[in-house]
Amino acid sequence: MKIIQEHLKCIGCGSCVAVCSKFFILEEDGLASIKGAKKVGENLELEVEEVDCAEEAAEICPVQIIKIKR
């Protein structure tokens, strides 16, 4: 499974960090990132065994830039 974030479209609201600090962090530039993710094009991607709270982060994101790929 994979967590994907369209990083440059992030508005820095922090909702993903609030519900899923296991995978998300607010960076110094004010935008959220996926911890340990690789940059793939303009996206950040992280391979995971279990998506855990990342599904809730994807649902709560106001700009819908977090995707879960199974």
Side-chain angles (χ1 to χ4, degrees), residues 22-38:
K22 175 179 179 177
F23 290 120
F24 295 92
I25 188 169
L26 274 180
E27 299 287 353
E28 289 182 19
D29 63 3
L31 302 180
S33 291
I34 304 171
K35 295 177 182 178
K38 294 180 185 176

Side-chain angles (χ1 to χ4, degrees), residues 3 25-28 33 48-50 53 56 61-62 66:
I3 304 168
I25 188 169
L26 274 180
E27 299 287 353
E28 289 182 19
S33 291
V48 293
E49 298 268 331
E50 293 291 328
C53 56
E56 186 177 357
C61 177
I66 301 168

